[in-house]
Amino acid sequence: LINRDMLLLRFASSSARRACGITMPRTNRCVRWCSNKSPAETSPSTTTSKAAWLWDKFVVCVVFAITGSSIMFTVQPALRAVTGCSDGSLRKGPNWFRALYIVAAMPMYSATLVAVGTIFGRHLFFRNFAIKMWARLFPALNKYKVKV
């Protein structure tokens, strides 16, 4: 059940919260990142500020953009160096190169996603995202998610 303080904390203005004696903790991104709290407590999307929410979504989009671009530029040259196939690509083939590209790209993508997400201070979000991605293939991995 929702009590009055929870409603005030979530939906009321800051002056209304101060009038009722409810204060929100002020923490910067570094303190939230270093704390051992759950993602719901550390995520800016739980605050009432629209600017913090927009910044959080912007950071998530930037992390996905950096990760996707870096994987696109690193997997194919790495596979060419390992296999010795100079003309292999997803478009031109050969078929074994296409299959190897897909098999190699998924673990590299998830590891890079968690690494870049950690650099940007959103480790738990991207860790859960990578686990969700792998849990579609291996459902037993669902137990490693951090529950909110």
Side-chain angles (χ1 to χ4, degrees):
L1 296 173
I2 300 174
N3 59 16
R4 178 186 66 90
D5 291 343
M6 288 301 292
L7 287 173
L8 283 172
L9 185 64
R10 181 70 179 142
F11 296 108
S13 64
S14 59
S15 58
R17 285 192 300 265
R18 270 185 259 123
C20 294
I22 299 172
T23 58
M24 292 185 67
R26 290 182 174 237
T27 57
N28 62 16
R29 290 190 188 287
C30 184
V31 171
R32 283 191 308 237
W33 183 73
C34 295
S35 70
N36 291 326
K37 296 181 179 178
S38 69
E41 295 170 337
T42 60
S43 174
S45 61
T46 60
T47 64
T48 56
S49 170
K50 185 173 182 176
W53 182 84
L54 285 173
W55 178 253
D56 184 47
K57 299 308 170 199
F58 175 75
V59 167
V60 169
C61 289
V62 166
V63 169
F64 278 119
I66 290 171
T67 303
S69 300
S70 63
I71 289 301
M72 184 181 72
F73 288 116
T74 57
V75 171
Q76 188 172 3
L79 284 179
R80 283 182 178 174
V82 169
T83 62
C85 181
S86 62
D87 61 343
S89 70
L90 279 177
R91 185 196 271 157
K92 297 176 186 174
N95 288 335
W96 62 268
F97 190 87
R98 291 176 180 152
L100 190 61
Y101 185 94
I102 292 169
V103 168
M106 191 166 170
M108 288 178 69
Y109 181 81
S110 59
T112 307
L113 185 67
V114 173
V116 174
T118 302
I119 291 169
F120 278 84
R122 299 286 292 149
H123 173 76
L124 290 175
F125 176 81
F126 289 106
R127 176 179 176 245
N128 281 341
F129 191 89
I131 289 171
K132 182 172 65 171
M133 189 170 72
W134 281 98
R136 291 183 179 138
L137 295 174
F138 307 107
L141 291 176
N142 277 324
K143 66 181 177 182
Y144 295 107
K145 280 187 184 177
V146 176
K147 301 224 178 357
V148 178

